[in-house]
Amino acid sequence: MRVGIAGYGLAGRYFHAPLLKGCGYEVVAIQTSNAERAGHAVADFPDVNVVATIEELVAHKLDLVVVASANLVHAEHAFAAINAGIPVVVDKPMGRTFAETAEIISAGERAGVPVSTFFNRRWDSDALTIKKVLASGVLGTIHRMDSRFERFRPELNKASWRENMSAADGGGQLLDLQPHLISTAIDWFGKAELVTSTVRTIRGGADDDAVLVLKHDSGVLSILSASVVVGAPGPRIRILGSKGALVINDLDPQEALLKAGKIPMGGKWDVPTKSKTFIHRGDSVEEIVGEDGNYATFYTLVAGAIAGTNPWPISNDDALLVAQIIDQARNNALHV
């Protein structure tokens, strides 16, 4: 399938482009107005058409547009693809607000053009392992889950729009990492509503410390932390059940592999992509074999959805629920 990528920064170059290539898509065109990133695009795809505007991108005969640009222009780029009749995947968050997300989805429905979002963390090793463990019942009745993306970056990166732009323009951790935490939580434990939240700015730029507490319809309480000012990060995930607890300490290795230039050719990794997983029962700790993560599954399923052989990998209902919770978290945040 012929694909165009809007934006060629971190998301476009190090996530979407290698996954698309690995899944057999032909990257026909890349949109960027940045000269350095245009050079990266040509270095990575010597035959690619590099264009400066989204209008030029969608003028190519494309089967898919991937919006990997800054959050500020996600809606503008998605609308351009929809108006051109091209299915579109928008990197998370699809929109900066619930209203913007709903507007993108509604535009696709009116035009009869499929629209989806990139919640790739559902194909992390930890996410796939957790679904397997939950299905086994080995933890008993689940009552609480802690999920984190915590880092220690005490100095503000003044070159990063994510760290400096206002929430209205798409900056901050609530829009950057919380969508992953929320989307995986609702994938594991079902629909949820926000109980409470704190959204703070510690370093003087965009919000950089966001903690959300969700209550799922299933009864599980999810505590979600996205922060870049944590000198002692907690475990990546801890799930508490009546018969034991699951603990995963480390990040899935796929992001590091992609940034190192590795590509999952044929839609599969040729190296292990497991996170170490442990079942705790008090003083007893048992390591279990985790599942291999594979972000490429997302684009394999997208190709199938476009061909009509399977559903889209992420439902727009989930995208809307994530956007709704983010809006509520920002509006109702406790300022402590």
Side-chain angles (χ1 to χ4, degrees):
M1 289 188 174
R2 293 166 57 87
V3 61
I5 304 173
Y8 209 63
L10 173 64
R13 188 182 191 195
Y14 293 108
F15 282 87
H16 296 281
L19 294 175
L20 290 161
K21 182 177 180 179
C23 290
Y25 290 76
E26 180 187 359
V27 179
V28 174
I30 293 173
Q31 177 272 325
T32 179
S33 57
N34 180 293
E36 181 180 9
R37 292 176 180 176
H40 293 160
V42 173
D44 297 341
F45 299 95
D47 297 327
V48 78
N49 297 287
V50 179
V51 298
T53 68
I54 189 66
E55 290 77 16
E56 292 173 282
L57 184 80
V58 300
H60 291 79
K61 294 180 179 179
L62 302 174
D63 299 301
L64 177 70
V65 167
V66 173
V67 175
S69 45
N71 296 344
L72 181 65
V73 292
H74 275 191
E76 175 190 339
H77 289 174
F79 292 145
I82 291 166
N83 292 337
I86 307 168
V88 57
V89 166
V90 186
D91 197 72
K92 58 78 200 165
M94 183 183 285
R96 292 164 292 177
T97 63
F98 175 83
E100 189 170 75
T101 303
E103 191 177 0
I104 293 169
I105 292 169
S106 295
E109 290 173 347
R110 289 194 303 270
V113 175
V115 175
S116 190
T117 194
F118 187 62
F119 289 153
N120 61 298
R121 293 291 177 176
R122 290 188 175 186
W123 289 274
D124 269 348
S125 170
D126 51 57
L128 298 175
T129 301
I130 285 166
K131 294 187 83 167
K132 183 177 179 179
V133 169
L134 293 176
S136 76
V138 68
L139 298 179
T141 302
I142 309 301
H143 58 273
R144 194 169 88 201
M145 187 266 285
D146 307 306
S147 182
R148 304 173 175 85
F149 283 121
E150 293 178 338
R151 301 162 178 168
F152 188 52
R153 297 174 180 170
E155 301 300 325
L156 196 67
N157 179 0
K158 295 184 179 180
S160 169
W161 62 262
R162 287 181 177 85
E163 296 188 25
N164 293 279
M165 277 189 173
S166 67
D169 288 338
Q173 292 302 301
L174 188 58
L175 286 173
D176 184 28
L177 293 178
Q178 280 290 354
H180 286 315
L181 297 175
I182 300 167
S183 72
T184 47
I186 64 176
D187 190 39
W188 300 331
F189 302 117
K191 291 183 179 180
E193 60 182 18
L194 183 74
V195 176
T196 189
S197 60
T198 63
V199 182
R200 300 188 290 174
T201 297
I202 307 295
R203 301 172 303 170
D207 63 83
D208 49 20
D209 184 75
V211 179
L212 278 57
V213 179
L214 308 183
K215 178 68 176 293
H216 297 267
D217 291 352
S218 60
V220 176
L221 198 69
S222 287
I223 302 170
L224 312 176
S225 171
S227 180
V228 294
V229 281
V230 179
R236 167 70 188 91
I237 294 170
R238 184 181 66 158
I239 296 176
L240 305 180
S242 59
K243 295 181 179 179
L246 177 147
V247 177
I248 298 175
N249 292 299
D250 303 318
L251 282 172
D252 177 281
Q254 292 180 87
E255 181 174 348
L257 289 171
L258 290 165
K259 287 180 176 178
K262 306 293 186 184
I263 296 176
M265 297 306 296
K268 295 181 180 180
W269 291 103
D270 61 0
V271 295
T273 52
K274 291 180 172 64
S275 296
K276 289 189 175 182
T277 305
F278 302 90
I279 302 295
H280 290 239
R281 300 178 181 90
D283 293 333
S284 171
V285 180
E286 173 193 3
E287 183 173 358
I288 65 171
V289 177
E291 297 292 297
D292 281 303
N294 189 6
Y295 298 154
T297 302
F298 175 87
Y299 276 118
T300 299
L301 292 171
V302 166
I306 293 173
T309 59
N310 58 252
W312 283 80
I314 302 295
S315 78
N316 284 332
D317 286 345
D318 282 4
L320 288 168
L321 179 56
V322 170
Q324 176 183 315
I325 290 170
I326 287 173
D327 270 15
Q328 292 171 340
R330 194 180 304 283
N331 294 335
N332 302 338
L334 297 172
H335 299 285
V336 296

